[in-house]
Amino acid sequence: MAAKLSKDSRPAWPHRAVVTAGMPYGNKNLHFGHVGGVFVPADFFARFLRDRLGERNVIFVSGTDCYGSPIMEGHRKLRESCGTDCTLTDYVQANHDLQQSAIDGFEIELDLFGGSALPPAAPIHNRTTAEIIERLSERGVLHKRATKQFYDAKAGQFLNGRQVVGRCPIQGCKSEKAYADECDLGHQYEPEELIAPKSALTGETPELRPVDNIYFDLPAYLDFLKDYTAKLEADETVRPVVSKTMEEWLLPAQIYIQNKFREAFDAIEDRLPAHTVTEPEGTKSSFTVTFPSWEERDAAHEVLAAGGVRFRSGKALVPFRITGNIEWGVPVPDACGCSGLTCWVWPESLWAPISFTRTVLAEAERTGRADRYASLDWHDWWCSEDAHAYQFIGQDNIYFYGIAQTALWEALGCHMQQSTLVANYHVLYMGKKASSSSQTPPPPASELLEHYTAEQLRAHFLSLGLGEKPVSFSPKAYDTRETGRNADGTPLLARDDKRVIDPVLKEGALLTGVFNRLARSCFYGVAVKEGDEASHRCGCIPAGAPDPRVVEASEQAVLAFERAMHTFEFHHALGVCDEYLRAANKRWSDASKAAKNAGDDAAMKQALVDAFHELRVATVLMHGIVPVGCELICEHFAIDPSVFFSWEHIFDTCDELVASLGEQPGAHAVKPLPPRFDFFEKHPSQA
């Protein structure tokens, strides 16, 4: 039996909160992983915080990442294949609109889903970028470096990041989708380290030419990041994948060389910068060379390459690029030390949530809705000690948000509060990592709504426990795999067989069955019926104190749910609701049946008092999971949502809640329920 929870040990929450969902690139629509792995969990948490802290104290933002080489490359391919004359802005606007439509379809309620290159956020984002770069420059943490960029001599142009494809050089990474200075798994490296580079324009091997760019001195924050990461390890609200991934980047500057190159290495070792060699242990096929810093390691690259020694780099802090040499980007002030540059997409996407927050507040002021938010000063949301930012991301982006952003926020020196990163593992598709290039490409998020309701999918995605491990999304509507074979080798069952249970509908059954039944029982139970003079047939929330056991069960559910939300264990929070709803439904079924059999009007009224109390608590807890159905229940309670869902009343009985409205218990009329009404409907395809 679980230990009893106490109100005295409830978690502490900030006064104000910003919630962000990782920004999707503006070169495509959202796939199910974006929605199920990031947007739905972020929306659940944001809705919870609005109920818990008050709507004025929460801002939830995200937006289309409009800049960067993936967008340029997607636009180039579109024009090449279709002959369209659409501009880059047209291109990202069209994809932004598709993304917005998918987000709306899944009932995700952002204060702003903006676009870094689109109004109304674009001018504010440009200004924020200039302010941050100027601030970093004033703080002395930006430096100009001459680095090499790929140039396609046949095409006669420099190549942007996505126009170069090769193999990732980072030790242990097997990605074949490595670009100019990062792979599709988020590993960072210098362009000259990329293995077997090819130009996406001509297929030729590009050459490297020197260019000037501005870099942030990330290695200078190594000690700070080590201390900060150690604190994260002890913080129960930080998922282990965050601190463990960050630790991987805080290692010494190392390279790994296969043993077969040992003779070639020995021949040139005396020409290398200061280093130490660690011999391979046991059956390991490579030895390790460690350097005092990234500078000595990078200086060794040319010596090793000239000596015919192939190597792979380990993860380590290197200067973080701030600018780029491509035209499509946010302009960078010339005062930073270089002219005519644009901001590299990753740093400006890190502070885009700040730009979007500023946009939300500016729009509220412009439209005369200044009272919508507790403060119109963005510093009160990002720099105040009583505020906090929660950023929902995929595991691939921990380097950028956990390492680069953490150091940048510290470097700004303006009391920026470090964010809590809520990183999810991948949502697999049919047991494999989702990829548009695979043999079974995953469906777009919006397409799923042709087979399931948004609330069925929301509940299912939240049940997966993606904070702990990658989990497969295997909807029966798309799954044609066999479930096994008979002894003679013939297929046992196909996934499209009606006897196979759809895993997506497991949580859906809680909604369309249990939750529906409890809600209908309450409202039909108090409905006025001609000729029925039972005291509970009053058309009102019945007055009376719930059974102490009901009050205790409700209190424990609330406390367990809140604790799970504080540690971002969303599948546990859903599990609390599941257990509570099933117990409440059984309690109602047993009590109402006994009262009916005994013809006991008083007992039936008490059963309804208990059921209404449990229904209200369950509806508040489930609000962030399945908002539309819960708000429909609230509508039939006939209570203002700002009161009904507020956690200020979470432990109140219905009598106490009604009294807070200035009404007499037993006199608050509910909205009558039509016959055969469903608060949570099945998808038409499931009929």
Side-chain angles (χ1 to χ4, degrees):
M1 180 180 290
K4 182 178 178 180
L5 301 175
S6 169
K7 291 182 181 179
D8 296 333
S9 59
R10 294 176 67 187
W13 299 95
H15 288 98
R16 288 177 302 284
V18 176
V19 180
T20 79
M23 296 168 60
Y25 275 133
N27 60 345
K28 62 183 71 174
N29 199 352
L30 302 181
H31 62 66
F32 79 94
H34 290 126
V35 171
V38 176
F39 278 96
V40 167
D43 185 64
F44 176 26
F45 190 68
R47 288 178 182 272
F48 162 74
L49 286 182
R50 288 177 184 135
D51 294 343
R52 183 68 181 81
L53 308 181
E55 195 167 352
R56 295 179 70 246
N57 297 311
V58 180
I59 294 177
F60 178 25
V61 294
S62 182
T64 303
D65 201 349
C66 297
Y67 295 112
S69 54
I71 285 81
M72 293 184 68
E73 186 63 6
H75 178 250
R76 181 188 69 81
K77 289 179 178 178
L78 176 68
R79 295 189 64 174
E80 195 174 77
S81 61
C82 303
T84 178
D85 60 356
C86 78
T87 66
L88 272 162
T89 302
D90 294 336
Y91 177 67
V92 296
Q93 181 70 64
N95 286 314
H96 170 81
D97 292 344
L98 289 172
Q99 294 171 0
Q100 179 73 71
S101 178
I103 284 169
D104 293 342
F106 280 85
E107 299 163 5
I108 293 160
E109 188 177 39
L110 291 127
D111 291 80
L112 175 73
F113 183 71
S116 51
L118 305 173
I124 295 176
H125 184 59
N126 289 357
R127 187 165 69 249
T128 300
T129 297
E131 290 171 358
I132 287 177
I133 291 177
E134 288 171 357
R135 172 77 177 180
L136 293 172
S137 181
E138 291 168 1
R139 301 273 293 174
V141 294
L142 298 184
H143 305 287
K144 182 167 68 173
R145 288 181 63 209
T147 56
K148 295 178 180 178
Q149 185 172 336
F150 286 107
Y151 182 84
D152 187 329
K154 185 174 182 180
Q157 68 178 69
F158 280 103
L159 302 176
N160 67 50
R162 291 300 172 107
Q163 290 175 333
V164 184
V165 182
R167 298 198 308 273
C168 181
I170 297 297
Q171 175 72 6
C173 182
K174 298 180 181 180
S175 173
E176 297 288 334
K177 288 186 177 180
Y179 307 108
D181 53 10
E182 66 170 323
C183 76
D184 62 339
L185 297 179
H187 296 141
Q188 300 288 294
Y189 44 81
E190 294 296 330
E192 57 263 35
E193 297 180 73
L194 181 64
I195 299 171
K198 293 291 182 184
S199 167
L201 299 183
T202 63
E204 300 290 319
T205 299
E207 59 187 76
L208 286 164
R209 295 188 178 183
V211 294
D212 286 339
N213 270 299
I214 301 300
Y215 286 76
F216 167 61
D217 190 2
L218 182 58
Y221 291 85
L222 176 61
D223 290 339
F224 167 76
L225 287 167
K226 284 182 176 179
D227 291 342
Y228 181 73
T229 304
K231 293 176 183 176
L232 295 185
E233 290 178 352
D235 188 340
E236 68 171 358
T237 68
V238 177
R239 290 176 170 171
V241 65
V242 174
S243 55
K244 288 180 180 178
T245 303
M246 289 175 65
E247 283 180 344
E248 294 174 1
W249 290 97
L250 305 179
L251 298 172
Q254 297 176 326
I255 58 174
Y256 304 91
I257 302 173
Q258 289 184 321
N259 295 333
K260 64 182 180 180
F261 292 104
R262 186 55 187 261
E263 186 174 340
F265 173 80
D266 290 342
I268 54 89
E269 183 180 6
D270 60 349
R271 300 203 297 273
L272 293 175
H275 65 277
T276 58
V277 176
T278 303
E279 302 298 338
E281 296 180 0
T283 59
K284 283 189 175 181
S285 61
S286 63
F287 59 97
T288 305
V289 184
T290 303
F291 298 90
S293 76
W294 67 273
E295 293 176 289
E296 288 86 357
R297 186 191 68 178
D298 285 8
H301 290 169
E302 192 169 333
V303 178
L304 292 169
V309 179
R310 290 179 58 184
F311 60 89
R312 287 201 173 220
S313 293
K315 297 177 182 178
L317 296 188
V318 297
F320 185 63
R321 184 157 61 92
I322 297 296
T323 63
N325 304 83
I326 62 177
E327 184 178 346
W328 178 244
V330 180
V332 171
D334 291 348
C336 71
C338 290
S339 61
L341 298 181
T342 55
C343 194
W344 184 40
V345 63
W346 259 113
E348 52 99 351
S349 69
L350 293 178
W351 53 70
I354 298 175
S355 303
F356 293 159
T357 301
R358 295 175 70 171
T359 302
V360 166
L361 300 175
E363 286 295 290
E365 186 172 29
R366 183 184 66 81
T367 57
R369 300 177 66 240
D371 60 347
R372 169 67 181 79
Y373 299 101
S375 170
L376 295 184
D377 185 346
W378 74 268
H379 294 87
D380 290 337
W381 297 87
W382 286 91
C383 305
S384 174
E385 291 184 359
D386 61 358
H388 199 76
Y390 302 90
Q391 300 195 263
F392 286 72
I393 61 172
Q395 68 180 98
D396 291 352
N397 293 331
I398 293 174
Y399 167 81
F400 294 105
Y401 288 92
I403 296 294
Q405 177 179 285
T406 299
L408 281 167
W409 275 203
E410 175 68 11
L412 285 170
C414 57
H415 308 291
M416 287 289 295
Q417 299 297 303
Q418 297 292 350
S419 304
T420 292
L421 301 181
V422 188
N424 272 342
Y425 285 95
H426 297 295
V427 187
L428 307 176
Y429 182 66
M430 305 297 184
K432 298 179 180 179
K433 186 177 178 183
S435 171
S436 57
S437 60
S438 66
Q439 291 184 348
T440 54
S446 55
E447 189 179 298
L448 295 176
L449 298 175
E450 298 174 9
H451 304 277
Y452 306 97
T453 68
E455 297 197 317
Q456 288 173 335
L457 288 163
R458 285 174 66 99
H460 179 65
F461 285 135
L462 290 168
S463 76
L464 296 179
L466 293 170
E468 297 181 355
K469 61 182 179 180
V471 182
S472 180
F473 174 64
S474 304
K476 180 185 170 186
Y478 291 85
D479 196 347
T480 58
R481 296 175 299 175
E482 298 168 4
T483 62
R485 290 184 174 273
N486 295 309
D488 61 359
T490 58
L492 180 63
L493 209 62
R495 293 280 179 164
D496 55 3
D497 192 293
K498 291 184 178 180
R499 289 167 290 174
V500 177
I501 297 173
D502 192 334
V504 177
L505 298 183
K506 176 178 178 293
E507 293 74 30
L510 174 69
L511 308 176
T512 58
V514 181
F515 205 174
N516 258 340
R517 194 177 305 122
L518 181 64
R520 285 196 298 252
S521 298
C522 286
F523 293 112
Y524 287 144
V526 298
V528 176
K529 285 190 175 181
E530 188 174 346
D532 189 340
E533 298 182 357
S535 62
H536 59 86
R537 296 287 183 186
C538 59
C540 297
I541 298 174
D547 185 290
R549 291 169 296 180
V550 168
V551 173
E552 175 68 14
S554 300
E555 181 178 295
Q556 289 299 300
V558 168
L559 295 174
F561 179 90
E562 183 180 30
R563 176 172 290 186
M565 295 303 291
H566 190 249
T567 54
F568 307 101
E569 296 173 291
F570 299 139
H571 60 303
H572 289 164
L574 178 57
V576 169
C577 295
D578 187 309
E579 183 178 344
Y580 179 69
L581 272 167
R582 293 184 189 280
N585 199 64
K586 185 178 188 308
R587 193 161 16 240
W588 158 255
S589 180
D590 292 346
S592 60
K593 183 177 180 181
K596 184 177 181 180
N597 290 340
D600 189 338
D601 182 36
M604 182 62 78
K605 179 183 177 185
Q606 183 61 50
L608 281 164
V609 168
D610 293 343
F612 263 95
H613 180 81
E614 292 177 299
L615 174 62
R616 187 182 65 81
V617 171
T619 305
V620 174
L621 298 186
M622 291 288 288
H623 184 212
I625 301 170
V626 283
V628 172
C630 289
E631 287 165 12
L632 195 54
I633 292 173
C634 171
E635 180 183 326
H636 282 272
F637 264 91
I639 296 176
D640 188 294
S642 66
V643 176
F644 184 87
F645 291 112
S646 172
W647 274 57
E648 290 184 11
H649 302 285
I650 193 67
F651 296 112
D652 287 357
T653 64
C654 286
D655 279 1
E656 291 168 335
L657 181 62
V658 167
S660 74
L661 302 174
E663 302 178 38
Q664 289 296 319
H668 180 82
V670 299
K671 180 180 178 180
L673 207 60
R676 296 181 295 277
F677 186 81
D678 281 330
F679 291 95
F680 304 94
E681 296 183 344
K682 293 182 178 180
H683 192 275
S685 67
Q686 299 160 13

